[in-house]
Amino acid sequence: MSIKTLTSLTLSGIPAFGLPAATFLSFLSGLQFLSRLALLDEVVDFDRSRMTDVVEMPSLRFLMLKPGPNISRIYLTGLMETVITPALEELVLDFTNVSSPREIQLFLRHLKREAPRFLSLRHITINSPFEGFDIASALVHTAPNIEDLSLSRYSADSILMFLAHDARREVFQKLRTLHFDSPHFDWDVVLSFLQKRKQIGRPLHCLKFTGFGGSKGEVLDELFKNLLEACLAV
């Protein structure tokens, strides 16, 4: 099989030993059928090059960014500036290994500064130990058409509080599904968010929970089933 026909690819690197930007972009430019791409740790060393070249990935539908603990401050913004994904539908942002919020803040500020670039994005997963308000505000700007939002234990409450604020009643108008990957969240925050969505005529259609062990799931079903149904679309 020719490498040019690859449809799925995972690349992993370490700080200071990533691919030069020119090599990385040249490699991706030959993968026009690639639909899934996962970049782990620091795959590209943008410090080695100040190129302005870009590569467009017309077939890419899924992208995972999972940077390591000591990424350079321009790594994530470098990716955004050089890899164009006009048809991207699903984005996974996993920042659990990042040791400092500085690099994440630079990345988010870059997204908010630029014109909305993820207009085709429908599904997003956020796993971050850092403040969720900044993440949510960046996504509202850059990916306004999200339909499915998956939140981790770290950022669930702060992101939902941001979205539930009266000043942001019109954001994420197409949101239909909310998914929690662990039971570590504030039920009052979740229920307030669901109720406000229904009040403005945009109720959620599906609420998913994973990570409940033992009989805890049955207990929660009994306690919250009726209340959740009242907050979701019938």
Side-chain angles (χ1 to χ4, degrees):
M1 182 183 71
S2 170
I3 191 172
K4 293 183 178 180
T5 62
L6 276 179
T7 58
S8 181
L9 177 67
T10 298
L11 295 175
S12 181
I14 57 177
F17 292 96
L19 291 171
T23 303
F24 175 70
L25 296 175
S26 176
F27 176 64
L28 288 186
S29 67
L31 303 177
Q32 293 301 298
F33 296 101
L34 195 69
S35 62
R36 297 178 64 86
L37 176 63
L39 301 177
L40 313 180
D41 299 313
E42 188 165 358
V43 176
V44 190
D45 187 355
F46 287 103
D47 286 333
R48 294 182 185 174
S49 174
R50 299 189 179 185
M51 294 181 57
T52 57
D53 292 350
V54 299
V55 59
E56 184 166 325
M57 308 293 294
S59 300
L60 200 67
R61 300 293 185 271
F62 171 89
L63 175 63
M64 171 188 276
L65 300 179
K66 188 176 182 179
N70 298 305
I71 58 169
S72 69
R73 62 185 182 86
I74 65 170
Y75 172 63
L76 292 172
T77 56
L79 288 174
M80 293 299 100
E81 291 174 351
T82 57
V83 181
I84 309 302
T85 56
L88 193 68
E89 296 176 352
E90 183 173 358
L91 176 64
V92 177
L93 298 175
D94 190 340
F95 300 144
T96 53
N97 293 332
V98 178
S99 55
S100 168
R102 181 187 62 177
E103 290 74 18
I104 305 304
Q105 293 297 330
L106 290 172
F107 168 66
L108 297 176
R109 282 201 293 269
H110 175 80
L111 291 181
K112 287 189 282 188
R113 246 190 346 258
E114 301 294 311
R117 62 171 302 158
F118 294 126
L119 295 177
S120 63
L121 197 64
R122 297 294 181 267
H123 311 280
I124 188 162
T125 299
I126 304 169
N127 195 356
S128 172
F130 306 117
E131 177 55 61
F133 277 71
D134 290 334
I135 295 175
S137 64
L139 293 177
V140 164
H141 171 73
T142 198
N145 298 316
I146 289 175
E147 298 174 1
D148 188 320
L149 180 60
S150 180
L151 302 174
S152 73
R153 61 179 296 180
Y154 303 107
S155 53
D157 292 342
S158 57
I159 288 177
L160 292 184
M161 289 173 64
F162 176 90
L163 296 177
H165 193 280
D166 288 341
R168 290 177 281 272
R169 292 166 61 91
E170 301 303 316
V171 303
F172 288 163
Q173 296 185 17
K174 297 181 180 181
L175 186 64
R176 295 292 181 269
T177 301
L178 188 60
H179 178 212
F180 298 91
D181 71 357
S182 80
H184 298 87
F185 54 82
D186 188 326
W187 275 103
D188 290 335
V189 172
V190 175
L191 295 175
S192 175
F193 173 75
L194 294 175
Q195 290 167 341
K196 287 195 174 185
R197 292 290 299 194
K198 189 161 188 176
Q199 288 169 5
I200 64 174
R202 295 193 179 90
L204 266 67
H205 291 247
C206 184
L207 193 62
K208 299 179 181 180
F209 299 95
T210 56
F212 292 93
S215 60
K216 194 178 296 184
E218 297 177 3
V219 174
L220 289 173
D221 281 345
E222 184 67 24
L223 291 174
F224 295 104
K225 181 180 178 181
N226 293 333
L227 186 53
L228 291 178
E229 286 180 349
C231 299
L232 300 173
V234 177

